[in-house]
Amino acid sequence: MGISTVGVVGLGYIGLPTAAILAANGVAVTGIDVNPETVDAVNRGEVPFVEPDLAGYVAEGVSSGKLTAALAPEAADAYIVAVPTPFTGDHKPDLSYIRSAAEALAPTLRGGELIILESTSPPGTTRRMADWILAVRPDLSLDGVDGRPVVYFAHCPERVLPGKIMVELVTNDRIVGGLTPEGAQRARDLYQVFCQGEILLTDAATAETAKLVENSFRDVNIAFANELSLVADKLGINVWELIRLANHHPRVNILQPGPGVGGHCIAVDPWFIVDAAPEEARLIRTAREVNDAKPRWVLHKVVDAVADLGVANPVIATYGLAFKPNIDDLRESPALEITTEIARTLPHATVLAVEPHVEKVPAEFAGLANVRLAGTEEALEAAQVHVLLVDHAQFRALAGPLAGKHVVDTRGMLR
């Protein structure tokens, strides 16, 4: 059975690029999202967030008629579910978005469809999604038992880097895990429409865990660098110089420390492994705790810098709110957390948040009268303490203007 129509549920940082790249390769795609503003923007050929090259794909897809957006699912040959999978306050996975998507899809099914879960998920989530759908539609099945039509399920985790999504969607290898071998094969056939990388087949639970393992590996390595920055600071050593020298060893490659770890992947995914195997995932848990604690350490550095000033109403500039350079994504951003906590901890200070990729005041600033968005020039002129949180390209020229000023440099931009 060929796939000529696809519904993509969730038009966020993964869903919309996936919908656009499928449309660019001749597939008729309907993007589904519960946010009317997102649906309206896509139907106008516009992109509601910053991602290089995506705007051109969306505009072309809408213009050609291959890409449309809607608030509710419509009948299609295949569906890709790319909705959020956050965690709760105690780091338990919240699968409510996946369940809502599954229950919304169920009435449109007639049998023979392929349903792919792309949302990063704890092991076993694809099977749970199938169970939720089949509970609504007991006339369907996974295996054709009693003559009931079959629906095929697979998990294919995204593995793209924000800022390079439109390139990596095409070039990266993909892992495809099916609840059944035929489900995996059908999902592979769909991704082959645009994926030039190798497509590796496995079972759904292994595919789910592979994505978690990849990001946990990265998190552990980042935690080493972040912990090293704490050690070096206590010993009075320049951590950037220390890492530069250590990396001259032929088998050492220490990453660069920062103010913490953000984004929906590395800051979240390891907790899914900890939740699934709490007694065994000791190193993974410790790495998360190290990285989650780094923003508090940065906050203390800022408070100390303000105390050194001896000014009653200081002005503090923070540079960057996104979780990584050159994007507008604020999810789990340590920079946003630090800026918010500075404003709360120092209510008599004025906090100027400089973020060239964001025009709308973040919701986290609600109720904080002493923090606002500002431009780089205003921050350089008005602030007495400068906090470098994100190494955006626009900030690379700040070394000269910040010379001799009170600076907390969490990214080593001034080294």
Side-chain angles (χ1 to χ4, degrees):
M1 175 182 175
I3 294 175
S4 59
T5 57
V6 174
V8 177
V9 184
L11 294 177
Y13 291 90
I14 299 302
L16 183 54
T18 302
I21 203 74
L22 281 166
N25 284 273
V27 178
V29 183
T30 300
I32 302 109
D33 201 279
V34 296
N35 187 338
E37 293 181 2
T38 298
V39 170
D40 290 343
V42 172
N43 282 329
R44 292 193 303 268
E46 300 173 0
V47 177
F49 51 85
V50 175
E51 178 59 43
D53 302 323
L54 176 58
Y57 279 92
V58 171
E60 177 60 28
V62 172
S63 175
S64 68
K66 290 296 185 180
L67 176 61
T68 59
L71 290 169
E74 302 172 359
D77 299 326
Y79 298 93
I80 296 174
V81 177
V83 296
T85 47
F87 54 68
T88 62
D90 58 354
H91 297 130
K92 297 286 185 181
D94 177 3
L95 304 182
S96 61
Y97 294 92
I98 295 176
R99 182 165 191 166
S100 295
E103 293 174 347
L105 287 178
T108 71
L109 303 177
R110 56 194 183 277
E113 293 90 352
L114 167 67
I115 302 177
I116 299 171
L117 178 62
E118 276 208 9
S119 305
T120 303
S121 309
T125 304
T126 306
R127 180 59 195 238
R128 294 181 70 179
M129 181 180 71
D131 290 343
W132 288 327
I133 288 175
L134 296 178
V136 177
R137 293 292 305 276
D139 56 311
L140 303 174
S141 71
L142 291 175
D143 53 12
V145 66
D146 297 330
R148 289 177 291 168
V150 175
V151 178
Y152 303 93
F153 292 87
H155 183 76
C156 182
E158 54 84 10
R159 308 166 91 190
V160 293
L161 184 68
K164 297 183 179 179
I165 290 178
M166 300 313 294
V167 174
E168 294 200 351
L169 272 177
V170 175
T171 60
N172 284 1
D173 295 341
R174 298 298 292 252
I175 298 172
V176 174
L179 288 186
T180 60
E182 187 169 359
Q185 292 160 9
R186 291 186 177 221
R188 175 199 58 199
D189 293 346
L190 176 58
Y191 284 103
Q192 281 179 335
V193 168
F194 63 87
C195 182
Q196 298 173 3
E198 184 177 3
I199 299 177
L200 308 163
L201 300 190
T202 184
D203 62 89
T206 302
E208 291 160 343
T209 309
K211 173 64 183 295
L212 307 181
V213 167
E214 292 164 5
N215 283 325
S216 296
F217 174 83
R218 296 173 66 199
D219 196 43
V220 168
N221 282 273
I222 295 169
F224 180 81
N226 278 335
E227 186 169 281
L228 193 60
S229 72
L230 309 184
V231 173
D233 182 73
K234 185 170 185 177
L235 299 178
I237 295 171
N238 184 314
V239 68
W240 317 104
E241 175 71 358
L242 177 63
I243 291 174
R244 185 184 71 82
L245 295 172
N247 281 347
H248 276 272
H249 188 288
R251 288 171 293 281
V252 172
N253 184 23
I254 303 169
L255 302 180
Q256 299 297 303
V261 174
H264 183 63
C265 292
I266 302 178
V268 176
D269 297 357
W271 286 119
F272 292 170
I273 293 181
V274 173
D275 181 71
E279 297 300 321
E280 294 76 14
R282 292 176 295 171
L283 179 61
I284 295 171
R285 181 196 298 273
T286 299
R288 272 286 74 233
E289 291 170 347
V290 167
N291 287 332
D292 278 351
K294 191 69 185 291
R296 177 63 55 176
W297 182 84
V298 175
L299 173 64
H300 290 323
K301 285 292 179 184
V302 175
V303 171
D304 290 345
V306 169
D308 289 342
L309 283 176
V311 177
N313 303 108
V315 179
I316 303 164
T318 63
Y319 297 85
L321 295 176
F323 84 84
K324 68 182 295 289
N326 307 321
I327 62 171
D328 67 344
D329 195 341
L330 305 182
R331 291 177 297 173
E332 309 297 332
S333 171
L336 178 59
E337 177 186 348
I338 291 165
T339 300
T340 303
E341 288 304 314
I342 291 172
R344 287 176 178 157
T345 305
L346 301 170
H348 300 297
T350 297
V351 182
L352 304 178
V354 183
E355 177 47 77
H357 299 288
V358 170
E359 296 180 357
K360 185 178 179 181
V361 176
E364 288 79 0
F365 292 174
L368 297 172
N370 62 330
V371 58
R372 63 179 174 83
L373 296 178
T376 304
E377 292 185 5
E378 179 187 0
L380 288 171
E381 182 177 345
Q384 293 132 337
V385 174
H386 303 263
V387 189
L388 299 174
L389 297 173
V390 185
D391 45 346
H392 288 312
Q394 293 95 322
F395 297 158
R396 292 174 186 165
L398 292 180
L402 291 178
K405 297 188 178 183
H406 286 77
V407 178
V408 177
D409 183 5
T410 71
R411 293 288 184 178
M413 286 189 282
L414 305 186
R415 66 183 185 273

